[in-house]
Amino acid sequence: MKKIYLLSILVLFLTACNSIPTYQNPAEVAYSIEGEIENQSEVEAAIHVIEDNLNYATKEDMEGYLSTIVASGREETQNELAPVFETYDLEHTVLSAEVLEQEENRLLIRTEQQTVMLDAVEGAEPYRSHIAEANHELVKENGDWKIKETIMTDTTFIN
């Protein structure tokens, strides 16, 4: 009986180990937009803003990155992001997207995003590559979708 119990624990442990996320090559990632979509073209435009935001972050293009967020948040974001750009080279990838709420001038979109450290300046604190759930609130500003707020949750570290 003791052997069966130990074997059961081993099987559960190995099953849990297989659920640890691994790196996904951005060139191979494909996803469809899930959720209750009322206006497909508006949702696609908003998702494009999120993708641009992450591409600008990967390229460390501060001006481009700031162009994807609301004007009222740009100065604070620049102050917070500049040290990250100076210290780390990170690769950001959208893995999935789901529309949670859609209004004419406001969207809530949940994405699963992968962030991987490619390089860091010598002596930098270690950066842990991860997959996280990002809850984006986008609003229309001068007719264009802009990210108003992003809240990261459910972070799982990648080996």
Side-chain angles (χ1 to χ4, degrees):
M1 185 68 167
K2 194 174 190 180
K3 287 182 181 180
I4 292 173
Y5 178 71
L6 290 174
L7 184 60
S8 296
I9 290 175
L10 180 61
V11 169
L12 286 173
F13 175 74
L14 292 175
T15 303
C17 287
N18 287 336
S19 67
I20 296 172
T22 57
Y23 173 78
Q24 295 184 44
N25 182 340
E28 297 173 3
V29 171
Y31 65 90
S32 58
I33 303 168
E34 304 293 327
E36 297 198 26
I37 300 169
E38 296 174 25
N39 185 323
Q40 184 73 29
S41 63
E42 290 293 331
V43 168
E44 288 174 3
I47 296 287
H48 187 72
V49 170
I50 294 169
E51 290 174 339
D52 283 350
N53 176 273
L54 295 178
N55 288 332
Y56 289 133
T58 296
K59 295 174 187 174
E60 298 182 353
D61 178 345
M62 184 67 77
E63 188 173 315
Y65 185 92
L66 295 175
S67 74
T68 65
I69 66 173
V70 293
S72 62
R74 291 180 184 160
E75 184 177 346
E76 181 180 348
T77 299
Q78 182 172 2
N79 293 337
E80 292 175 3
L81 198 55
V84 175
F85 282 1
E86 292 170 8
T87 307
Y88 303 103
D89 290 333
L90 303 174
E91 173 188 76
H92 306 274
T93 309
V94 174
L95 303 176
S96 68
E98 179 184 8
V99 176
L100 301 177
E101 288 182 32
Q102 183 175 12
E103 299 170 11
E104 185 176 340
N105 293 310
R106 181 176 169 271
L107 273 164
L108 293 178
I109 299 174
R110 178 175 39 228
T111 61
E112 186 177 53
Q113 297 176 191
Q114 172 179 268
T115 301
V116 175
M117 185 184 79
L118 303 176
D119 199 10
V121 296
E122 191 173 324
E125 290 289 320
Y127 186 94
R128 295 185 68 191
S129 298
H130 61 274
I131 294 175
E133 184 177 279
N135 295 285
H136 302 278
E137 179 182 7
L138 293 97
V139 295
K140 286 268 183 115
E141 189 172 79
N142 298 320
D144 296 319
W145 289 108
K146 301 292 179 181
I147 298 170
K148 180 178 180 182
E149 181 177 39
T150 300
I151 298 173
M152 306 298 280
T153 61
D154 295 330
T155 300
T156 306
F157 297 104
I158 302 172
N159 292 343

